[in-house]
């Protein structure tokens, strides 16, 4: 269908990039990127009319997203070329042929394209040796200035290298090391680096990539004291096990794995160093709150829990609940990975698996029908009921109603 619309409009249309790479590697990928030689938005609008898709156009970038009725999406771009007036700056953009569009890309393995028009349907375009690099399992840039033009490609190189179990080509590794040595990363805005870190930490297993970032001096760019020394490595490995464990529980509540790993990376830094990183990376306020003050809260609570455990007194379920209930799941998982205290870890895991989801059986409406005036006392009563349920003092609705009357 893509090709038909292209033929109708007299435009050459291609599927490009990650989808083609993964197709040749026989790996699943549902992110389809289409490039049109000519007006991509016009193409998307015609395609949308014929096939009942919504079109979200971004005129500034001459791109569009096709949204199918079932929610499936296809990205459409107009073939363009980019040139960089300054290292690290955002590029100047002009429309161009597919070959130039592919030439602006990061690595040869991402420059493959498949023609969609009827006359050439299915032909593979390989201008820059992408197939041979896929066979050799090599990550290679297209030209010597690639990392200088866009230093975030250094992070991308490591992400693809580790995800695909490839190797940086020798020359590419050499170029990357020179770019690090010459400090080109300093020219990139913090938020762009943060975004690349996010993509790395969201990979199913980010640990090898983190080790590689450290080896190549890229972690040190985030903070000179950020590195995976042995204790951070231990922590990262424990975090990976904990996060995998949590995901197998299928609690219905997702967890932002990357936040747990980022907390681990921060763990060698003190509060003011963390704040420096947060400012430098321009973290959005909601994350800055989590990695700043909230991190301090986790440390304090885990410390208290360890201390209480070391007193050898059994903690009741409601006491554990009260200590941990404010913590978001990511902080809890980090706490579990962090503690070396067996009993504290057991209690945190018991909290995650059993206690965290406990609620009272009666609610505000019941309290109202019992003649209680709404106000802050509702929260207190319901909290007490949860505590009673956690400690096995009530089990039915009637038990709870009786307790409230008392
Ligand atoms: P993923 O499988 O992680 O989605 P992808 O290859 O689809 O990988 P995207 O980040 O979605 O990666 O980018 C889409 C395409 O845009 C890539 O194939 C790449 O060629 C190109 N690209 C993205 N970022 C850059 C960059 N900084 N420099 C050059 N090309 C880039």
């Amino acid at each position: 269908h893509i090709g038909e619309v292209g033929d109708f409009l007299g435009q050459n249309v291609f599927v490009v990039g990650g989808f083609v790479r993964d197709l040749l590697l026989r790996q699943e990928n549902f992110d389809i990127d289409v490039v049109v030689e000519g007006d991509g938005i016009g193409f998307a609008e015609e395609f949308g009319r014929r096939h009942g898709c919504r079109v979200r156009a971004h005129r500034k970038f001459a791109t569009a997203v096709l949204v199918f009725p079932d929610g499936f999406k296809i990205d459409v771009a107009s073939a363009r070329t980019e040139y960089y007036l300054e290292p690290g700056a955002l590029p100047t953009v002009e429309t161009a042929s597919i070959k130039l569009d592919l030439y602006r890309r990061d690595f040869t393995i991402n420059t493959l394209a498949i023609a969609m028009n009827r006359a050439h349907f299915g032909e593979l375009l390989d201008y820059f040796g992408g197939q041979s690099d896929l066979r050799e399992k090599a990550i290679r840039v297209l030209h010597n200035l690639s990392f200088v033009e866009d230093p975030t490609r250094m992070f991308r190189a490591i992400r693809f290298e580790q995800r695909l179990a490839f190797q940086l080509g020798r020359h590419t590794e050499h170029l990357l090391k020179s770019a690090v040595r010459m400090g080109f990363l300093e020219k990139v805005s913090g938020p762009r680096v943060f975004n690349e870190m996010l993509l790395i930490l969201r990979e199913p297993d980010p640990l090898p990539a983190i080790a590689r970032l450290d080896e190549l001096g890229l972690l040190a760019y985030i903070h000179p004291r950020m590195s995976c020394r042995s204790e951070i490595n231990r922590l990262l490995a424990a975090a990976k096990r904990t996060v995998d464990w949590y995901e197998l529980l299928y609690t219905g509540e997702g967890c932002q794995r990357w936040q747990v790993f980022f907390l681990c990376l921060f763990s060698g830094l003190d509060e003011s160093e963390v704040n420096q990183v947060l400012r430098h990376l321009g973290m959005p306020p909601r994350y800055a709150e989590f990695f700043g003050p909230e991190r301090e809260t986790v440390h304090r609570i885990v410390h208290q829990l360890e201390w209480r455990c070391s007193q050898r007194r059994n903690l009741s379920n409601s006491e554990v609940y009260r200590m941990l209930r404010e913590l978001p799941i990511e902080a809890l998982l980090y706490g579990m990975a962090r503690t070396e205290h067996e009993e504290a870890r057991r209690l945190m895991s018991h909290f995650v698996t059993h206690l965290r989801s406990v609620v009272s059986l009666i609610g505000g409406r019941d309290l109202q029908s019992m003649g209680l005036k709404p106000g802050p006392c509702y929260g207190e009563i319901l909290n007490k009921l949860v505590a009673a349920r956690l400690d096995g003092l009530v089990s039915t609705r009637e038990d709870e109603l009786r307790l409230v009357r008392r």
Side-chain angles (χ1 to χ4, degrees):
H1 294 320
I2 291 176
E4 269 169 29
V5 175
D7 285 343
F8 174 75
L9 295 172
Q11 293 172 323
N12 295 324
V13 190
F14 307 88
V15 171
V16 302
F19 179 83
V20 182
R21 175 196 70 217
D22 290 343
L23 188 70
L24 295 183
L25 292 173
R26 296 185 164 71
Q27 292 192 4
E28 207 168 66
N29 186 335
F30 296 112
D31 291 335
I32 299 184
D33 290 304
V34 167
V35 169
V36 179
E37 272 183 335
D39 173 17
I41 295 182
F43 169 88
E45 282 167 349
E46 178 61 28
F47 187 96
R49 248 193 311 280
R50 291 182 181 209
H51 300 288
C53 303
R54 248 178 342 107
V55 178
R56 284 205 312 254
H58 305 282
R59 306 237 164 240
K60 190 170 154 214
F61 301 106
T63 60
V65 183
L66 282 167
V67 187
F68 286 77
D70 64 359
F72 186 76
K73 292 183 188 136
I74 294 183
D75 285 315
V76 180
S78 315
R80 63 185 194 264
T81 184
E82 294 174 347
Y83 47 92
Y84 293 78
L85 294 173
E86 263 176 74
L90 289 174
T92 308
V93 178
E94 272 173 17
T95 53
S97 67
I98 182 73
K99 184 170 177 183
L100 277 175
D101 183 282
L102 296 170
Y103 184 66
R104 78 186 160 83
R105 289 167 190 263
D106 43 9
F107 310 112
T108 57
I109 58 164
N110 288 337
T111 60
L112 295 163
I114 299 176
M116 290 287 115
N117 296 75
R118 191 181 296 264
H120 298 280
F121 186 81
E123 279 177 22
L124 184 69
L125 277 65
D126 181 5
Y127 294 113
F128 309 105
Q131 284 182 97
S132 121
D133 286 343
L134 280 180
R135 267 194 302 272
E136 285 181 34
K137 297 180 179 292
I139 307 291
R140 292 206 170 91
V141 288
L142 277 78
H143 56 85
N144 288 350
L145 288 179
S146 189
F147 292 127
V148 176
E149 281 178 357
D150 181 356
T152 62
R153 290 176 187 159
M154 299 192 235
F155 288 85
R156 297 177 61 82
I158 309 293
R159 177 158 62 90
F160 288 121
E161 184 193 51
Q162 298 304 318
R163 180 206 289 173
L164 303 173
F166 279 27
Q167 275 273 309
L168 296 183
R170 245 169 50 132
H171 184 56
T172 295
E173 181 159 343
H174 172 76
L175 292 171
L176 188 150
K177 285 178 174 164
S178 318
V180 171
R181 225 180 10 254
M182 294 171 74
F184 281 110
L185 266 172
E186 303 295 331
K187 301 195 182 290
V188 186
S189 76
R192 291 190 67 210
V193 171
F194 172 57
N195 191 46
E196 292 300 332
M197 274 305 282
L198 204 67
L199 294 175
I200 289 177
L201 298 182
R202 279 183 177 153
E203 291 283 322
D205 180 6
L207 271 50
I210 296 173
R212 189 85 163 114
L213 288 176
D214 195 25
E215 178 195 330
L216 293 168
L218 291 166
L219 278 189
Y221 160 79
I222 297 175
H223 192 282
R225 292 209 322 106
M226 186 179 273
S227 93
C228 24
R229 293 181 307 276
S230 58
E231 72 269 30
I232 308 271
N233 256 330
R234 187 203 62 77
L235 182 59
L236 282 163
K240 168 81 172 53
R241 282 194 300 276
T242 312
V243 169
D244 287 345
W245 163 82
Y246 177 74
E247 285 183 346
L248 280 177
L249 294 175
Y250 295 110
T251 59
E253 182 193 350
C255 106
Q256 301 285 332
R257 300 163 61 96
W258 70 269
Q259 295 188 357
V260 183
F261 294 123
F262 230 134
L263 279 172
C264 296
L265 286 175
F266 278 139
S267 86
L269 308 185
D270 66 27
E271 204 177 339
S272 82
E273 290 167 331
V274 169
N275 286 332
Q276 238 174 301
V277 175
L278 298 178
R279 271 197 307 277
H280 170 52
L281 296 185
M283 280 223 197
R286 63 183 187 288
Y287 298 145
E289 174 70 22
F290 178 73
F291 293 112
E294 193 130 10
R295 179 183 97 116
E296 297 302 314
T297 312
V298 190
H299 289 175
R300 185 171 41 74
I301 291 177
V302 171
H303 192 69
Q304 274 171 9
L305 189 66
E306 288 171 345
W307 185 79
R308 300 276 300 264
C309 289
S310 64
Q311 302 297 297
R312 303 214 164 276
R313 194 174 69 75
N314 279 340
L315 288 172
S316 68
N317 281 343
S318 63
E319 282 174 304
V320 175
Y321 182 88
R322 205 166 334 118
M323 291 180 81
L324 299 177
R325 72 169 173 199
E326 302 293 345
L327 297 179
I329 187 65
E330 292 80 9
L332 284 164
L333 297 175
Y334 166 68
M336 281 177 66
R338 189 181 155 84
T339 186
E340 286 178 19
H341 201 295
E342 195 80 23
E343 178 62 5
R345 182 165 40 246
R346 192 190 68 74
L347 288 176
M348 281 191 265
S349 112
H350 182 57
F351 175 77
V352 170
T353 49
H354 292 93
L355 310 183
R356 196 160 179 262
S357 55
V358 169
V359 287
S360 59
L361 297 184
I362 68 170
R365 210 174 296 149
D366 299 292
L367 298 181
Q368 216 167 357
S369 62
M370 291 168 82
L372 279 161
K373 241 177 62 193
C377 72
Y378 272 36
E380 277 168 41
I381 294 173
L382 296 176
N383 280 340
K384 287 206 168 120
L385 287 175
V386 170
R389 173 164 299 282
L390 288 165
D391 292 338
L393 304 176
V394 295
S395 58
T396 63
R397 237 179 91 81
E398 280 61 43
D399 290 343
E400 290 191 1
L401 291 169
R402 211 171 301 127
L403 191 66
V404 175
R405 281 195 206 98
R406 274 225 306 273

